[in-house]
Amino acid sequence: IGLDARIYANGRKHMHFQVVNWVNANVPEETWVAATQTGTLGYYHDHTINLDGKVDPKAFEYRRQNRIHEYVLQRNVQYIVDWSGIAEWAKRPEFARNYELLFNDRARNLAVLQRRAPEPSRDRKGADATKAPDTRW
């Protein structure tokens, strides 16, 4: 009974709720987010990808091969929201091309990375290749 009382007394003071609170306040429910610590976040946000491999066998394989960054880049993850240590990912060149560090709040132990908008690809003449070609003569 004492242990249960402690759990109920602490309630939302759990060490993962800063992540849940940020996602709930800033991310639409249908937007995919990822985190290495997803138990609490995944409970409150259905579009959460687990990166520690506990519930995602494919992520586990990438993690075992030290390639979890590649796994994230292959997925439709718009935000990575986790403890402050996740901010280190933004220092990896291949990751920094695709994600920017929005903030790293060490006091709250919360960091957020956001996927960068894709840059329009340009053809040799500098035209924006993502727009429909001009077919007028």
Side-chain angles (χ1 to χ4, degrees):
I1 293 174
L3 293 175
D4 285 343
R6 187 185 72 183
I7 291 170
Y8 287 111
N10 289 332
R12 290 186 171 255
K13 295 179 194 170
H14 188 273
M15 61 185 158
H16 292 286
F17 266 101
Q18 75 279 24
V19 174
V20 173
N21 292 337
W22 191 90
V23 169
N24 285 342
N26 297 285
V27 178
E29 182 59 37
E30 67 279 358
T31 300
W32 284 98
V33 299
T36 56
Q37 301 288 333
T38 60
T40 307
L41 177 58
Y43 184 81
Y44 290 96
H45 184 80
D46 288 336
H47 285 80
T48 299
I49 296 174
N50 169 265
L51 299 178
D52 67 6
K54 290 178 184 168
V55 296
D56 185 341
K58 192 168 184 179
F60 179 69
E61 281 304 312
Y62 275 84
R63 193 166 211 40
R64 282 187 42 205
Q65 298 169 17
N66 198 26
R67 296 173 47 217
I68 195 67
H69 301 94
E70 292 175 38
Y71 181 71
V72 173
L73 293 173
Q74 295 170 10
R75 308 296 300 266
N76 187 25
V77 173
Q78 298 304 308
Y79 295 94
I80 301 169
V81 186
D82 213 314
W83 291 346
S84 286
I86 205 76
E88 294 296 313
W89 287 24
K91 295 178 181 177
R92 298 176 71 104
E94 73 279 5
F95 215 74
R97 284 190 295 275
N98 294 281
Y99 285 88
E100 64 180 310
L101 180 64
L102 288 185
F103 68 88
N104 182 15
D105 186 340
R106 291 182 190 274
R108 288 177 37 208
N109 195 19
L110 176 66
V112 176
L113 291 93
Q114 181 179 22
R115 188 178 283 271
R116 296 178 186 276
E119 293 185 21
S121 59
R122 304 243 177 229
D123 66 12
R124 281 184 249 142
K125 296 178 183 175
D128 185 344
T130 61
K131 294 181 182 175
D134 186 356
T135 55
R136 294 176 287 159
W137 294 92

